[in-house]
Amino acid sequence: MLSFFVIFNALKVRNTFFMKIKLNLRQKIAFTVIGTAVILFVFTIGYFTISTKKGYYTNAKDLNLSVTSHYAKVVEGSLNEDMAIVRTLSTAFLEHNQLPFEEWRELIMGMYKQVMIVNPHIDAIWDSWELSYLDPNWDKPYGRWLHICYREEGKLLSKYEKRSLDGDPAVYNSLKLSGKESILDPYASALQTSGLMTSLVSPLYIKGQFIGLIGADLFLGRLQNLINEIKPFAEVEPFLISSQGTIIAHPDTALLAQNVQDVYPIISKNYSIVEMVKSGKSFSFTERDRTGEKRFYTFFPVNVGRTQTPWALAVAVPERVILSQANKSYNIGILVGLIGIILLVTIIYILANNITKPIKQITSLLKDVSEGRIDKSMRPKFNTQDEIAEMGQALTDSIDSLLAKTEFARNIGQGKLDTELKLLIEDDVLGQSLLEMRASLKKAEEDEQIRKGEDDKRRWVNEGLAKFGDILRQNDNNLSKLGDVLIKNLVRYLNASLGGIFIKNEENNPVTYDLSSAFAYDRKRYLQSSFEFGEGLIGTCAAERDTIYLKEVPQDYIEVTSGLGDANPNTILIIPLMIEEDVLGVIEIAAFRSFDDFEIEFVEKLGENIASTLRAVSVNQKTAELLEQSQQQAEEMLAQEEEMRQNMEELQATQEEAARKSFETQGLIDALNASSYVMEYDTHGTIISINDAYLELLGVSREESIGSHHSDNIVMTEEQRLNYEQFWMNLRKGNIQKETNLVRIGRKDFTFVETYTPVKDANGEIYKILKISIDISS
C-alpha cells in the first residue's frame, strides 16, 4: 500500500511540472509517457527483485526439507524391509510345534541361509528360545537355546548352543522385558573388522508367555553410501543419528560411532537434539557452527517397524549457499531493470517521432481524394494499432470502395455474376444500384440451373437402384454379409454419417427387431440393440409401416465418434422394409445434413427391394442353419464318448495312487511300532489297542490289556485324583500332554517320555487318544 502511495505522489509532481511549461505535441507525448513509464518501471522492478530474493531463500529451505524427508523415507523403507523379514520369521516360528524340535532346528537353519544369500547386508540371523519353555524340568527364569547363522571370512556358518545358564546378559534381559520389536543402538561387530552394525529384534509369545526372540544383525555400510548421495546443494552435510545420539552415517567417516552431543555441542545444547530425535518429530532451525558460520539444519524421523526408538536423518546447509542463488537473481534483476529503463526511454522517444509523420501523410492523401485523384498507390500503410492507424484504414477503405465498384461493374459486363460487392454502408446508392442489376441477371441463370437439377436427381435415383440391385443379387445367400455390404454402401451413397439395419426376429416372444448390421466412418460398429414391436422409433416405424424423418434429434439418442471428437447427428431417417404388409426389417440412417425428398423416396423404393431379398435370404439361411445344427450334434456325441473314456482312465489312476499311499502309511505305522511303545485309549481312558513291543515289555497278553483302564492299579490321593481328571479333560479338549515317568517292571526301573495325542475323525471330533512311550533309561 505504501508503494502505491509513493507512485501516486511521484506522478502528481510530474503532471504539475508539465503544466507549467509549453511543449509541442511530440514533446508532450515523449515526456509524459517516458516519465510515467520510468517511475512505474523502477518501483515494479524493485518490488519483484526483492520478492524474488525472498522466494529463492524460502524455496531453498523447502528443497532441503523435501530432500531430507525423501531420504529419511528411503532409509526407513530399507530398515522396514529387514524388520518385515524378522517379523515374518517370528510369526512363522509360532508353528514350530508342528515338528519335533530337532527337525525344526534343521529347517530354520536352511531358511536363514536362503535369506542371507538374498540379503548380503545381513551379517547374522539368530533365534533364542527360553529353556523354561523347551524343557518343563527347567525351573529357572534364565537360560536359553541360541541358533545362529552368520558370516565369517566370506562364508555362511551356523551353530546352536545353550547360553545364559548363569543369568541373562543386560541387553538380552532388556529386550526380554520390553516384549516389543526393537532396534539396537549401533555397535561394532564382534566378527567383522570395520563398520557399524545394528540388530532388529522381534519377540516370540505363545498364549501371552514369552518364549524367545528372533533377530537379524545388519551391516550399516549401505546407509553410509546413501548419505553420500544427498547433495541438494553444492555444500551440504548430511548425517544419520540413532535415538541415543550415535552418529550412524556421516560424510566424515572419522565421526562414526561418536555421539552427536560431542560432535555438534552447540545445537545439541540449544535445541536438545537427542530428546527431539526420541520424540519422533521433524524439526528445523538456523544456528551457527563452531566456526561462526550460520547453517540451516533439518531433522526428519526414521521410524523402524513398531519400535519405540526412532532414528533421524539430518541435513545441514550453510546459509551463504542458500542465499547465493537469491543474491545472484537480485543482482541480475537490478541489471535487467537498468537496461530496461534505457531501452524504454529509447523506444518511447522513437514512438513520439513516429506519431507526427503518419498524420502529415494522411492530410496529404485527403487533399488528393477531394480533388478526384484515386488509384491503388494512394493506400496509406501504417503498421501501428492505434487511432492513427484507424484514420489511415478509414481512408484506405474509402479508396478501396470506389475501386471495387469500378471493378464490379466491369465484371458484371463480362458475365461474372458471382462477383461480390461489399458496401461500406446500407445507404450507398451507387452500390445498391449495381447489386440490383446483378440480381436480375442471376435470377435468369438460376431458372436454368433448376431444370438441370431435376434431371440430375432422376439420374442419381436410377443409378442408385441399379447399384443396390447388383448388391442384393450378389449377396443373397448370407443375411449378415448382405446387411454389412448394404448399409455400408447406402451410408456412403447418401453421404450420411452412420446407419443400421434391424431385422425382424420371430423367435423372440414378443417379436423384436434386432440390430443386424451397422456402419459409421468406414468402420464396422458392433452394437447390441433390440426393439419390440411399437417400442422406440424402430418399433414405431415397424408398427405404423411408414417412414419416420426426424429433423430435431435428442442429444442422447445417438452419437458419432471420429478422430476429431464426438458429435450428435442433425437428422434421422427410418424406413420400413415391407413386403405384402409384412415388415421384415427397418433401416435407420443418421446424418449431419438434411435429406431431400427425392433421397427419401429413393430409400423407400430401395426398401421394397431389400424386403424381397430378405425373405429369400432368410429361407436360405434357415436351411443352412438346420444342416449345420445336425452336423454339430454328431460332433458333440463323439466328444462325449471321448470324455467318458478319459474319465475312466483318470478313475483307474486315482485308485492306483490310493493304493500306493495306503502302502506308505502302513510302512510308517510299522516303523513306529518297531521303535516305540504305542497304546491307544478311548476318550474315557479305556485301552482299545496296544502294540506287541508294549505287551512284551509288560509281560501280559493282548486280551488281558484290552478293556482295562488307564488308572487301574493306581492308588491316588485326592489332589492326585484332581490332577488326573484335569489331565484327561485337557486331552478331550484337543491339547497334547507330555509326561516323564519312572516305572518299575519286574525288578528293573524304566524312564519313559510319554506323549498323549488326541486323534480326530473326518468331522473334527476327538474319538481316541494315542500314547507313544519312548524309553530314555540310561
Side-chain angles (χ1 to χ4, degrees):
M1 192 67 184
L2 180 60
S3 299
F4 287 109
F5 180 73
V6 173
I7 295 173
F8 175 76
N9 286 334
L11 294 175
K12 184 176 181 182
V13 171
R14 183 216 61 184
N15 292 335
T16 303
F17 172 75
F18 287 153
M19 291 177 64
K20 292 181 179 180
I21 61 175
K22 184 177 180 180
L23 301 172
N24 59 33
L25 179 60
R26 184 180 65 181
Q27 292 171 336
K28 288 182 179 180
I29 293 173
F31 282 108
T32 301
V33 177
I34 290 174
T36 304
V38 169
I39 293 172
L40 293 174
F41 198 78
V42 168
F43 279 97
T44 302
I45 289 296
Y47 172 77
F48 281 106
T49 301
I50 295 173
S51 299
T52 301
K53 182 177 180 180
K54 293 181 179 179
Y56 268 113
Y57 184 72
T58 301
N59 291 339
K61 285 188 172 182
D62 292 342
L63 174 61
N64 192 50
L65 178 61
S66 176
V67 170
T68 306
S69 171
H70 168 73
Y71 279 95
K73 292 299 182 183
V74 173
V75 173
E76 182 178 292
S78 177
L79 293 174
N80 278 329
E81 288 179 0
D82 297 328
M83 179 60 82
I85 295 175
V86 175
R87 189 182 300 125
T88 301
L89 291 173
S90 174
T91 303
F93 282 13
L94 296 179
E95 300 297 325
H96 68 278
N97 55 9
Q98 299 298 322
L99 291 173
F101 197 75
E102 295 297 327
E103 296 182 21
W104 177 259
R105 174 181 293 162
E106 297 301 322
L107 175 64
I108 61 176
M109 285 301 179
M111 292 170 56
Y112 287 169
K113 289 182 180 179
Q114 291 300 319
V115 172
M116 294 182 66
I117 290 172
V118 177
N119 298 276
H121 62 279
I122 298 180
D123 180 57
I125 302 179
W126 49 269
D127 59 88
S128 178
W129 301 79
E130 292 292 300
L131 282 177
S132 60
Y133 171 73
L134 298 178
D135 186 356
N137 296 322
W138 184 267
D139 57 355
K140 298 179 179 60
Y142 48 83
R144 55 196 174 102
W145 263 109
L146 175 70
H147 308 114
I148 183 170
C149 182
Y150 59 96
R151 301 181 191 274
E152 185 173 353
E153 296 181 354
K155 298 179 180 180
L156 288 178
L157 304 177
S158 62
K159 63 182 180 179
Y160 41 87
E161 60 188 11
K162 289 183 178 180
R163 288 190 179 182
S164 306
L165 298 180
D166 297 326
D168 290 326
V171 174
Y172 181 84
N173 190 57
S174 64
L175 296 173
K176 180 176 177 179
L177 294 176
S178 72
K180 299 178 180 178
E181 291 182 355
S182 303
I183 180 170
L184 300 187
D185 206 62
Y187 57 88
S189 172
L191 299 178
Q192 309 303 327
T193 58
S194 63
L196 293 179
M197 299 183 62
T198 187
S199 296
L200 303 179
V201 181
S202 179
L204 291 171
Y205 278 91
I206 291 183
K207 295 181 180 179
Q209 177 188 356
F210 175 83
I211 65 170
L213 296 173
I214 304 294
D217 301 337
L218 311 178
F219 294 114
L220 296 178
R222 56 181 176 152
L223 301 184
Q224 179 66 34
N225 297 332
L226 181 65
I227 286 294
N228 295 332
E229 297 177 4
I230 304 176
K231 295 180 180 179
F233 300 98
E235 297 181 39
V236 67
E237 184 180 7
F239 55 92
L240 181 66
I241 60 177
S242 70
S243 62
Q244 300 299 323
T246 303
I247 296 179
I248 304 166
H250 195 284
D252 184 1
T253 55
L255 301 179
L256 298 182
Q258 297 189 36
N259 196 278
V260 69
Q261 295 175 340
D262 300 327
V263 179
Y264 300 95
I266 297 176
I267 64 172
S268 296
K269 178 180 179 182
N270 295 342
Y271 298 95
S272 303
I273 299 300
V274 175
E275 287 71 18
M276 291 296 292
V277 170
K278 288 181 179 180
S279 70
K281 299 178 181 178
S282 61
F283 57 98
S284 58
F285 54 85
T286 301
E287 185 59 84
R288 295 185 184 276
D289 58 13
R290 291 179 175 178
T291 64
E293 183 178 26
K294 271 189 168 185
R295 289 176 174 262
F296 178 67
Y297 294 85
T298 300
F299 288 77
F300 203 90
V302 176
N303 296 300
V304 182
R306 305 185 185 100
T307 65
Q308 304 299 316
T309 53
W311 293 0
L313 175 66
V315 177
V317 183
E319 193 173 54
R320 59 178 172 78
V321 175
I322 296 177
L323 290 174
S324 62
Q325 184 63 35
N327 291 332
K328 182 179 178 181
S329 299
Y330 178 79
N331 296 332
I332 292 175
I334 296 298
L335 179 60
V336 170
L338 293 175
I339 296 174
I341 291 174
I342 295 172
L343 292 176
L344 184 62
V345 170
T346 303
I347 292 172
I348 293 176
Y349 184 79
I350 295 173
L351 180 63
N353 287 333
N354 291 336
I355 291 176
T356 57
K357 183 178 179 181
I359 292 177
K360 292 179 180 180
Q361 183 181 354
I362 291 172
T363 303
S364 177
L365 289 174
L366 288 173
K367 185 177 179 181
D368 290 338
V369 171
S370 66
E371 294 174 355
R373 290 190 298 272
I374 301 174
D375 59 47
K376 295 181 179 180
S377 63
M378 295 175 60
R379 295 189 182 97
K381 296 181 180 179
F382 304 116
N383 296 325
T384 59
Q385 301 294 327
D386 51 18
E387 290 78 5
I388 294 176
E390 292 178 2
M391 292 169 59
Q393 185 61 44
L395 180 57
T396 299
D397 292 342
S398 298
I399 295 172
D400 289 342
S401 178
L402 292 173
L403 293 173
K405 291 172 183 175
T406 303
E407 183 66 20
F408 179 80
R410 184 181 297 112
N411 289 335
I412 293 298
Q414 295 174 359
K416 299 177 182 178
L417 303 180
D418 292 329
T419 302
E420 296 292 335
L421 177 61
K422 184 178 181 181
L423 303 181
L424 294 179
I425 58 175
E426 292 281 334
D427 298 329
D428 188 347
V429 177
L430 177 59
Q432 290 290 354
S433 299
L434 292 173
L435 291 175
E436 290 174 2
M437 178 185 67
R438 184 193 64 176
S440 298
L441 294 173
K442 288 184 70 175
K443 187 176 184 307
E445 185 179 27
E446 288 172 358
D447 292 339
E448 177 63 17
Q449 293 295 332
I450 291 174
R451 184 187 63 79
K452 292 181 179 179
E454 293 296 329
D455 293 340
D456 292 338
K457 292 177 183 178
R458 283 191 292 272
R459 184 173 60 256
W460 182 86
V461 171
N462 293 333
E463 289 176 355
L465 292 175
K467 175 180 179 179
F468 287 98
D470 291 338
I471 292 175
L472 293 174
R473 286 191 295 273
Q474 294 171 4
N475 300 277
D476 60 353
N477 59 347
N478 188 305
L479 184 59
S480 177
K481 182 178 179 182
L482 173 62
D484 290 345
V485 176
L486 188 63
I487 195 63
K488 175 181 178 181
N489 284 275
L490 183 57
V491 168
R492 288 178 173 176
Y493 196 74
L494 292 174
N495 193 23
S497 300
L498 54 85
I501 297 180
F502 295 81
I503 303 300
K504 184 179 182 180
N505 188 347
E506 295 179 327
E507 295 179 359
N508 292 338
N509 187 19
V511 174
T512 60
Y513 289 84
D514 300 334
L515 180 63
S516 174
S517 300
F519 180 78
Y521 280 104
D522 290 337
R523 64 181 182 270
K524 179 76 178 287
R525 300 180 63 177
Y526 293 95
L527 309 175
Q528 292 185 355
S529 184
S530 179
F531 298 88
E532 295 181 5
F533 194 78
E535 178 187 6
L537 293 177
I538 302 301
T540 301
C541 177
E544 294 180 357
R545 297 180 175 84
D546 197 5
T547 299
I548 297 177
Y549 180 38
L550 296 180
K551 294 184 178 180
E552 294 181 0
V553 182
Q555 289 296 317
D556 57 349
Y557 180 76
I558 196 170
E559 185 175 77
V560 178
T561 302
S562 71
L564 300 178
D566 301 333
N568 294 308
N570 297 327
T571 58
I572 299 293
L573 178 62
I574 305 175
I575 304 294
L577 306 179
M578 186 169 55
I579 181 172
E580 297 177 355
E581 298 301 315
D582 184 14
V583 180
L584 300 180
V586 176
I587 288 182
E588 181 182 35
I589 303 293
F592 290 109
R593 65 179 187 87
S594 299
F595 292 101
D596 295 327
D597 293 338
F598 77 94
E599 292 176 313
I600 297 175
E601 293 175 0
F602 162 75
V603 180
E604 290 175 340
K605 291 180 181 179
L606 180 61
E608 296 175 1
N609 296 339
I610 294 173
S612 177
T613 304
L614 286 177
R615 174 165 289 181
V617 171
S618 178
V619 172
N620 295 338
Q621 189 166 339
K622 287 182 179 179
T623 301
E625 289 175 354
L626 290 174
L627 178 61
E628 182 180 359
Q629 183 178 3
S630 175
Q631 294 174 347
Q632 183 178 359
Q633 290 175 349
E635 292 173 355
E636 289 176 352
M637 291 181 64
L638 291 175
Q640 291 175 355
E641 292 178 359
E642 177 63 18
E643 182 180 0
M644 183 178 296
R645 184 187 63 79
Q646 293 178 356
N647 290 339
M648 292 297 296
E649 293 177 353
E650 292 175 358
L651 178 61
Q652 182 178 358
T654 301
Q655 293 174 345
E656 294 174 353
E657 179 65 15
R660 184 184 63 81
K661 289 184 177 180
S662 176
F663 180 78
E664 292 177 352
T665 302
Q666 185 59 45
L668 292 174
I669 294 173
D670 294 340
L672 183 63
N673 285 327
S675 61
S676 305
Y677 302 104
V678 181
M679 186 179 294
E680 293 181 356
Y681 302 87
D682 63 15
T683 56
H684 299 290
T686 301
I687 298 174
I688 58 175
S689 175
I690 183 170
N691 69 349
D692 295 336
Y694 220 147
L695 292 173
E696 183 179 353
L697 178 67
L698 296 176
V700 297
S701 65
R702 190 178 306 276
E703 291 75 11
E704 293 174 336
S705 177
I706 299 299
S708 61
H709 196 270
H710 179 271
S711 62
D712 288 350
N713 302 322
I714 298 178
V715 179
M716 293 180 285
T717 64
E718 182 62 21
E719 181 179 357
Q720 290 174 335
R721 185 183 61 79
L722 293 176
N723 292 335
Y724 182 82
E725 291 176 356
Q726 183 64 40
F727 175 87
W728 279 96
M729 186 178 298
N730 290 336
L731 288 173
R732 285 189 287 271
K733 290 181 179 179
N735 298 324
I736 298 174
Q737 302 292 315
K738 294 182 179 180
E739 286 186 337
T740 301
N741 294 320
L742 178 64
V743 180
R744 177 177 293 275
I745 300 176
R747 297 182 178 181
K748 185 177 181 180
D749 293 332
F750 294 88
T751 301
F752 292 102
V753 174
E754 298 179 328
T755 301
Y756 294 77
T757 303
V759 181
K760 299 179 180 179
D761 59 18
N763 297 322
E765 299 292 336
I766 297 174
Y767 72 99
K768 66 180 180 180
I769 307 299
L770 173 65
K771 181 178 76 172
I772 299 176
S773 297
I774 299 176
D775 182 9
I776 61 172
S777 304
S778 56

